């Protein structure tokens, strides 16, 4: 295990990290190494009706939880429910959303939800003191992908330390059933010099390079993507194109493409399917981001192969 300082010295500021690029860039996924117990599961279960139209969540905030941001490189992260990013919250448009923030840290915190809600539920004024808790309540609107994050000053540090996540609000009429994945794009400046050292899907650099996401040929896939770092991000699929729904706030695609620039806090729904089996990279098309961890693999298999794989487990 190397220290943050050692990693920073090895990585430099703008160059691909020696650790990351030396082990991962373009290496075949069969030779990866990352603890499978720590991989953030991007799978989303199908949406279900809220009991009595009320969605209740509890987010327990803790500071300085050691988080392995890349294999062998740990940082003291701030987390919701021990997770970085925080858990995906999901509701249907019109539901009542209740989110209780339990602050177990030493500093005051809050949660700011994007979307439409009263000022007193905006997370700017409702600062939650250490040891205290607060319940945010509002009606889910509009449908789409909404980031949530701490908004306590200095907000940039609270976000960079890991206090962010994705809220999905489904349309009342629902979306076409598909395999669904949630992917948050972010980065980590370990030595606090103003330059990111690692970029990641769902909080860990290269985790889906170590552990590819298995898809079935012909399977319809919906991927919810959110950029939570203060640089532009460009989700790109290899060997494929996707239907693009900016912010997820429309049921009609705006574009058929394979790249889309997402600025700070922008998000999008990508819908696609693979027609051929094999390993396909999904990455940020800012090359430096890809080289420093914001890449992974889809392992597209024939349907019969997936059945056989499940039977062997």
């Amino acid at each position: 295990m190397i220290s943050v300082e050692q990693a920073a010295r090895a990585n430099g500021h703008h160059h691909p990290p020696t650790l990351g690029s030396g082990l991962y860039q373009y290496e075949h996924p069969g030779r990866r190494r990352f603890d499978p117990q720590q991989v953030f599961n991007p799978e989303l279960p199908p949406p279900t009706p809220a009991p009595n139209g009320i969605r209740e969540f509890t987010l327990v905030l803790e500071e300085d939880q050691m988080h392995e941001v890349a294999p062998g490189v740990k940082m003291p992260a701030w987390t919701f429910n021990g997770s970085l990013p925080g858990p995906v919250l999901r509701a249907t448009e019109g539901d009542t959303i209740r989110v209780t923030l339990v602050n177990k840290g030493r500093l005051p915190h809050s949660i700011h939800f994007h979307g439409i809600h009263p000022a007193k539920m905006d997370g700017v004024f409702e600062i939650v003191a250490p040891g205290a808790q607060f319940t945010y309540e509002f009606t889910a609107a509009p449908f789409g992908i909404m980031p949530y994050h701490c908004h306590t000053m200095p907000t940039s540090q609270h976000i960079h330390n890991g206090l962010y996540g994705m809220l999905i609000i489904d349309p009342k009429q629902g979306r076409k059933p598909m395999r669904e994945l949630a992917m948050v794009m972010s980065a980590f400046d370990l030595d606090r010099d103003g330059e990111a050292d690692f970029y990641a899907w769902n909080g860990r650099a290269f985790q889906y390079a170590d552990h590819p996401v298995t898809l079935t040929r012909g399977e319809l896939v919906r991927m919810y993507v959110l950029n939570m770092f203060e640089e532009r991000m460009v989700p790109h699929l290899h060997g494929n194109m996707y239907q693009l729904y900016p912010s997820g706030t429309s049921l009609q695609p705006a574009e058929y493409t394979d790249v889309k620039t997402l600025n700070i806090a922008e998000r999008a729904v990508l819908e696609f399917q693979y027609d051929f089996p094999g390993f396909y990279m999904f990455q940020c098309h800012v090359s430096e981001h890809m080289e420093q961890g914001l890449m992974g693999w889809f392992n597209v298999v024939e349907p019969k192969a997936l059945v056989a794989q499940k039977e062997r487990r």
Side-chain angles (χ1 to χ4, degrees):
M1 190 71 65
I2 68 173
S3 68
V4 169
E5 291 75 17
Q6 288 172 320
R9 284 198 297 273
N11 297 342
H13 301 320
H14 295 283
H15 300 293
T18 301
L19 181 68
S21 61
L23 289 178
Y24 292 93
Q25 190 178 5
Y26 307 129
E27 188 175 354
H28 189 275
R31 298 169 62 187
R32 306 291 175 201
R33 49 186 181 186
F34 199 102
D35 182 355
Q37 301 301 317
Q38 297 188 31
V39 173
F40 189 103
N41 184 2
E43 299 276 350
L44 291 175
T48 56
N52 301 315
I54 301 173
R55 291 284 184 188
E56 296 192 75
F57 307 94
T58 299
L59 295 181
V60 178
L61 188 155
E62 295 179 285
E63 300 166 357
D64 298 336
Q65 304 298 299
M66 294 310 294
H67 175 77
E68 193 168 18
V69 65
V73 181
K74 291 187 176 182
M75 61 169 279
W78 297 358
T79 62
F80 291 119
N81 292 0
S83 175
L84 194 173
V88 176
L89 310 182
R90 192 163 194 176
T92 301
E93 187 178 30
D95 286 349
T96 295
I97 295 179
R98 289 178 186 158
V99 181
T100 298
L101 172 62
V102 179
N103 184 0
K104 290 190 174 181
R106 296 167 298 162
L107 299 171
H109 294 284
S110 70
I111 306 178
H112 166 62
F113 296 91
H114 288 221
I116 300 172
H117 45 251
K120 63 182 179 180
M121 293 293 153
D122 194 45
V124 174
F125 301 113
E126 312 81 41
I127 303 302
V128 183
Q133 65 181 50
F134 180 85
T135 299
Y136 301 87
E137 181 172 321
F138 54 91
T139 301
F143 71 83
I145 308 171
M146 307 297 162
Y148 70 84
H149 57 84
C150 185
H151 210 293
T152 305
M153 294 289 282
T155 304
S156 61
Q157 295 305 306
H158 286 238
I159 293 175
H160 291 166
N161 284 345
L163 296 179
Y164 53 80
M166 178 187 292
L167 167 64
I168 298 174
I169 300 178
D170 293 304
K172 290 182 179 178
Q173 63 271 46
R175 298 181 190 270
K176 182 178 180 179
M178 294 185 188
R179 174 89 171 273
E180 293 192 320
L181 306 172
M183 295 282 186
V184 177
M185 310 173 86
S186 64
F188 300 91
D189 177 9
L190 302 183
D191 54 5
R192 304 293 173 155
D193 67 346
E195 300 288 343
D197 301 295
F198 290 98
Y199 293 81
W201 293 108
N202 287 337
R204 298 185 193 279
F206 302 111
Q207 64 178 326
Y208 303 122
D210 278 11
H211 302 280
V213 179
T214 300
L215 304 178
T216 305
R217 181 179 61 80
E219 180 180 36
L220 299 175
V221 180
R222 176 177 298 118
M223 192 159 82
Y224 298 86
V225 179
L226 163 64
N227 174 15
M228 276 309 301
F229 194 63
E230 295 187 348
E231 294 179 12
R232 73 194 190 286
M233 302 282 193
V234 187
H236 168 54
L237 304 184
H238 285 223
N240 212 341
M241 305 281 284
Y242 52 76
Q243 298 287 353
L244 175 71
Y245 301 77
S247 299
T249 51
S250 172
L251 297 179
Q252 299 300 320
E255 191 176 354
Y256 187 52
T257 182
D258 65 353
V259 291
K260 168 62 179 175
T261 299
L262 299 179
N263 282 309
I264 301 164
E266 271 199 302
R267 53 277 190 193
V269 173
L270 284 50
E271 292 182 350
F272 56 90
Q273 68 183 67
Y274 277 92
D275 296 330
F276 305 100
F279 283 98
Y280 296 91
M281 185 184 288
F282 60 98
Q283 62 162 102
C284 177
H285 213 290
V286 180
S287 298
E288 181 182 12
H289 298 178
M290 174 195 68
E291 293 164 349
Q292 293 178 245
L294 195 39
M295 55 82 67
W297 301 94
F298 289 131
N299 178 19
V300 181
V301 301
E302 296 287 357
K304 291 182 180 178
L306 184 61
V307 171
Q309 184 181 16
K310 291 181 177 178
E311 289 177 347
R312 288 195 296 270
R313 292 174 181 170

